Amino acid sequence: SAVISQKPSRDICQRGTSLTIQCQVDSQVTMMFWYRQQPGQSLTLIATANQGSEATYESGFVIDKFPISRPNLTFSTLTVSNMSPEDSSIYLCSGGVANTGELFFGEGSRLTVL
Amino acid sequence: RKEVEQDPGPFNVPEGATVAFNCTYSNSASQSFFWYRQDCRKEPKLLMSVYSSGNEDGRFTAQLNRASQYISLLIRDSKLSDSATYLCVVTRDTGRRALTFGSGTRLQVQP
């Protein structure tokens, strides 16, 4: 199994600012993803974090708004740029090994934008 | 149409009851199927994989019907600790292994 640590665990931010969320995995995973979970909703995939190259974004998510880095196998960051209240959500980092079904999740970063 | 659809519930059942959750998925090319469990204000965790032949893990039984694009989860002898949201999950492709989550079915087991 993998243990995934995210920080910050929560933050309250002002409209128009940006926040970077860090994700650290305690073992090497081949796949890393970023999800968003809005209140009362299920998880929506934002992007696949690719090691050493640009992330692969899902429909409705763009790099300018959600820049992602993954400099090595065990670390990734997600930035929420130019925040608005609609960005208030829980952002979850996840990791797994290819050809297995299991994804491990961090505890999430709860973001509130005022 | 959502890629993965579930009845949101809540399902309120007494301890010891048997409860079943259903899920349908829209992409016939979906490769792998899972049930995840999410406790309130916690991250999702894998409960079990779902195979075409059906599989059982203790009190939990999962089944897949590819022809109908239908997945089920049966919980027998419900415990208070089973109270959670159960997420039906499919993979969209074998390449990136990104998971697509249903909106979840909430279960509340009552004493």
Side-chain angles (χ1 to χ4, degrees), chain B residues 85-100:
Chain B
T85 296
Y86 291 83
L87 303 166
C88 178
V89 183
V90 307
T91 58
R92 279 186 269 146
D93 58 72
T94 55
R96 294 185 293 120
R97 301 298 291 188
L99 303 182
T100 300

PDB file of all heavy atoms in Angstrom, chain B residues 85-100:
ATOM      1  N   THR B  85     -20.493   5.990   2.611  1.00  0.00           N
ATOM      2  CA  THR B  85     -20.928   6.153   1.223  1.00  0.00           C
ATOM      3  C   THR B  85     -20.148   5.167   0.367  1.00  0.00           C
ATOM      4  O   THR B  85     -18.926   5.083   0.476  1.00  0.00           O
ATOM      5  CB  THR B  85     -20.696   7.586   0.719  1.00  0.00           C
ATOM      6  OG1 THR B  85     -21.506   8.472   1.491  1.00  0.00           O
ATOM      7  CG2 THR B  85     -21.085   7.719  -0.746  1.00  0.00           C
ATOM      8  N   TYR B  86     -20.845   4.428  -0.474  1.00  0.00           N
ATOM      9  CA  TYR B  86     -20.234   3.407  -1.315  1.00  0.00           C
ATOM     10  C   TYR B  86     -20.194   3.931  -2.751  1.00  0.00           C
ATOM     11  O   TYR B  86     -21.217   4.274  -3.330  1.00  0.00           O
ATOM     12  CB  TYR B  86     -21.005   2.096  -1.203  1.00  0.00           C
ATOM     13  CG  TYR B  86     -20.817   1.483   0.166  1.00  0.00           C
ATOM     14  CD1 TYR B  86     -21.600   1.897   1.245  1.00  0.00           C
ATOM     15  CD2 TYR B  86     -19.812   0.554   0.404  1.00  0.00           C
ATOM     16  CE1 TYR B  86     -21.391   1.391   2.518  1.00  0.00           C
ATOM     17  CE2 TYR B  86     -19.605   0.030   1.675  1.00  0.00           C
ATOM     18  CZ  TYR B  86     -20.398   0.464   2.724  1.00  0.00           C
ATOM     19  OH  TYR B  86     -20.184  -0.043   3.991  1.00  0.00           O
ATOM     20  N   LEU B  87     -18.991   3.978  -3.290  1.00  0.00           N
ATOM     21  CA  LEU B  87     -18.756   4.563  -4.599  1.00  0.00           C
ATOM     22  C   LEU B  87     -18.500   3.465  -5.627  1.00  0.00           C
ATOM     23  O   LEU B  87     -17.608   2.633  -5.449  1.00  0.00           O
ATOM     24  CB  LEU B  87     -17.539   5.497  -4.543  1.00  0.00           C
ATOM     25  CG  LEU B  87     -17.618   6.631  -3.513  1.00  0.00           C
ATOM     26  CD1 LEU B  87     -16.250   7.267  -3.318  1.00  0.00           C
ATOM     27  CD2 LEU B  87     -18.603   7.684  -3.981  1.00  0.00           C
ATOM     28  N   CYS B  88     -19.266   3.483  -6.673  1.00  0.00           N
ATOM     29  CA  CYS B  88     -19.057   2.578  -7.802  1.00  0.00           C
ATOM     30  C   CYS B  88     -18.023   3.234  -8.720  1.00  0.00           C
ATOM     31  O   CYS B  88     -18.146   4.435  -9.041  1.00  0.00           O
ATOM     32  CB  CYS B  88     -20.384   2.392  -8.522  1.00  0.00           C
ATOM     33  SG  CYS B  88     -20.321   1.360  -9.988  1.00  0.00           S
ATOM     34  N   VAL B  89     -17.023   2.482  -9.122  1.00  0.00           N
ATOM     35  CA  VAL B  89     -15.888   3.073  -9.823  1.00  0.00           C
ATOM     36  C   VAL B  89     -15.510   2.217 -11.031  1.00  0.00           C
ATOM     37  O   VAL B  89     -15.458   0.987 -10.925  1.00  0.00           O
ATOM     38  CB  VAL B  89     -14.680   3.190  -8.868  1.00  0.00           C
ATOM     39  CG1 VAL B  89     -13.518   3.876  -9.563  1.00  0.00           C
ATOM     40  CG2 VAL B  89     -15.060   3.938  -7.599  1.00  0.00           C
ATOM     41  N   VAL B  90     -15.237   2.864 -12.153  1.00  0.00           N
ATOM     42  CA  VAL B  90     -14.778   2.134 -13.339  1.00  0.00           C
ATOM     43  C   VAL B  90     -13.549   2.825 -13.901  1.00  0.00           C
ATOM     44  O   VAL B  90     -13.321   4.018 -13.667  1.00  0.00           O
ATOM     45  CB  VAL B  90     -15.874   2.059 -14.431  1.00  0.00           C
ATOM     46  CG1 VAL B  90     -17.168   1.507 -13.860  1.00  0.00           C
ATOM     47  CG2 VAL B  90     -16.125   3.405 -15.058  1.00  0.00           C
ATOM     48  N   THR B  91     -12.745   2.056 -14.603  1.00  0.00           N
ATOM     49  CA  THR B  91     -11.631   2.664 -15.335  1.00  0.00           C
ATOM     50  C   THR B  91     -12.068   2.866 -16.769  1.00  0.00           C
ATOM     51  O   THR B  91     -12.724   2.011 -17.357  1.00  0.00           O
ATOM     52  CB  THR B  91     -10.370   1.799 -15.329  1.00  0.00           C
ATOM     53  OG1 THR B  91     -10.674   0.526 -15.889  1.00  0.00           O
ATOM     54  CG2 THR B  91      -9.834   1.617 -13.933  1.00  0.00           C
ATOM     55  N   ARG B  92     -11.663   3.994 -17.321  1.00  0.00           N
ATOM     56  CA  ARG B  92     -12.086   4.333 -18.674  1.00  0.00           C
ATOM     57  C   ARG B  92     -11.177   3.729 -19.731  1.00  0.00           C
ATOM     58  O   ARG B  92     -11.580   3.497 -20.853  1.00  0.00           O
ATOM     59  CB  ARG B  92     -12.133   5.851 -18.853  1.00  0.00           C
ATOM     60  CG  ARG B  92     -13.400   6.457 -18.309  1.00  0.00           C
ATOM     61  CD  ARG B  92     -13.472   7.916 -18.641  1.00  0.00           C
ATOM     62  NE  ARG B  92     -12.885   8.709 -17.592  1.00  0.00           N
ATOM     63  CZ  ARG B  92     -12.226   9.830 -17.806  1.00  0.00           C
ATOM     64  NH1 ARG B  92     -12.015  10.255 -19.010  1.00  0.00           N
ATOM     65  NH2 ARG B  92     -11.752  10.516 -16.802  1.00  0.00           N
ATOM     66  N   ASP B  93      -9.938   3.518 -19.357  1.00  0.00           N
ATOM     67  CA  ASP B  93      -9.033   2.941 -20.338  1.00  0.00           C
ATOM     68  C   ASP B  93      -7.882   2.272 -19.607  1.00  0.00           C
ATOM     69  O   ASP B  93      -7.639   2.560 -18.447  1.00  0.00           O
ATOM     70  CB  ASP B  93      -8.496   4.005 -21.307  1.00  0.00           C
ATOM     71  CG  ASP B  93      -7.774   5.119 -20.583  1.00  0.00           C
ATOM     72  OD1 ASP B  93      -6.655   4.889 -20.084  1.00  0.00           O
ATOM     73  OD2 ASP B  93      -8.354   6.206 -20.497  1.00  0.00           O
ATOM     74  N   THR B  94      -7.181   1.426 -20.291  1.00  0.00           N
ATOM     75  CA  THR B  94      -6.103   0.695 -19.641  1.00  0.00           C
ATOM     76  C   THR B  94      -4.819   1.507 -19.581  1.00  0.00           C
ATOM     77  O   THR B  94      -3.920   1.172 -18.846  1.00  0.00           O
ATOM     78  CB  THR B  94      -5.787  -0.612 -20.391  1.00  0.00           C
ATOM     79  OG1 THR B  94      -5.512  -0.289 -21.764  1.00  0.00           O
ATOM     80  CG2 THR B  94      -6.967  -1.553 -20.322  1.00  0.00           C
ATOM     81  N   GLY B  95      -4.751   2.567 -20.367  1.00  0.00           N
ATOM     82  CA  GLY B  95      -3.507   3.331 -20.429  1.00  0.00           C
ATOM     83  C   GLY B  95      -3.217   4.099 -19.156  1.00  0.00           C
ATOM     84  O   GLY B  95      -2.245   3.848 -18.468  1.00  0.00           O
ATOM     85  N   ARG B  96      -4.072   5.039 -18.853  1.00  0.00           N
ATOM     86  CA  ARG B  96      -3.771   5.912 -17.738  1.00  0.00           C
ATOM     87  C   ARG B  96      -4.337   5.416 -16.418  1.00  0.00           C
ATOM     88  O   ARG B  96      -3.975   5.920 -15.369  1.00  0.00           O
ATOM     89  CB  ARG B  96      -4.295   7.320 -18.025  1.00  0.00           C
ATOM     90  CG  ARG B  96      -3.585   8.006 -19.171  1.00  0.00           C
ATOM     91  CD  ARG B  96      -4.053   9.430 -19.350  1.00  0.00           C
ATOM     92  NE  ARG B  96      -5.425   9.492 -19.792  1.00  0.00           N
ATOM     93  CZ  ARG B  96      -6.385  10.094 -19.098  1.00  0.00           C
ATOM     94  NH1 ARG B  96      -6.135  10.656 -17.942  1.00  0.00           N
ATOM     95  NH2 ARG B  96      -7.615  10.141 -19.562  1.00  0.00           N
ATOM     96  N   ARG B  97      -5.253   4.458 -16.483  1.00  0.00           N
ATOM     97  CA  ARG B  97      -5.838   3.880 -15.274  1.00  0.00           C
ATOM     98  C   ARG B  97      -6.556   4.904 -14.413  1.00  0.00           C
ATOM     99  O   ARG B  97      -6.715   4.700 -13.227  1.00  0.00           O
ATOM    100  CB  ARG B  97      -4.770   3.162 -14.435  1.00  0.00           C
ATOM    101  CG  ARG B  97      -4.072   2.053 -15.139  1.00  0.00           C
ATOM    102  CD  ARG B  97      -4.997   0.942 -15.534  1.00  0.00           C
ATOM    103  NE  ARG B  97      -5.503   0.187 -14.393  1.00  0.00           N
ATOM    104  CZ  ARG B  97      -6.209  -0.915 -14.484  1.00  0.00           C
ATOM    105  NH1 ARG B  97      -6.521  -1.392 -15.674  1.00  0.00           N
ATOM    106  NH2 ARG B  97      -6.634  -1.536 -13.413  1.00  0.00           N
ATOM    107  N   ALA B  98      -6.958   6.017 -14.988  1.00  0.00           N
ATOM    108  CA  ALA B  98      -7.720   6.975 -14.199  1.00  0.00           C
ATOM    109  C   ALA B  98      -9.083   6.384 -13.876  1.00  0.00           C
ATOM    110  O   ALA B  98      -9.693   5.714 -14.708  1.00  0.00           O
ATOM    111  CB  ALA B  98      -7.885   8.277 -14.972  1.00  0.00           C
ATOM    112  N   LEU B  99      -9.545   6.598 -12.694  1.00  0.00           N
ATOM    113  CA  LEU B  99     -10.821   6.061 -12.241  1.00  0.00           C
ATOM    114  C   LEU B  99     -11.926   7.094 -12.418  1.00  0.00           C
ATOM    115  O   LEU B  99     -11.716   8.283 -12.198  1.00  0.00           O
ATOM    116  CB  LEU B  99     -10.737   5.675 -10.767  1.00  0.00           C
ATOM    117  CG  LEU B  99      -9.656   4.671 -10.365  1.00  0.00           C
ATOM    118  CD1 LEU B  99      -9.757   4.363  -8.886  1.00  0.00           C
ATOM    119  CD2 LEU B  99      -9.768   3.399 -11.181  1.00  0.00           C
ATOM    120  N   THR B 100     -13.091   6.596 -12.815  1.00  0.00           N
ATOM    121  CA  THR B 100     -14.286   7.427 -12.877  1.00  0.00           C
ATOM    122  C   THR B 100     -15.212   6.987 -11.755  1.00  0.00           C
ATOM    123  O   THR B 100     -15.569   5.811 -11.662  1.00  0.00           O
ATOM    124  CB  THR B 100     -14.995   7.268 -14.236  1.00  0.00           C
ATOM    125  OG1 THR B 100     -14.094   7.659 -15.276  1.00  0.00           O
ATOM    126  CG2 THR B 100     -16.228   8.151 -14.289  1.00  0.00           C
TER     127      THR B 100
END
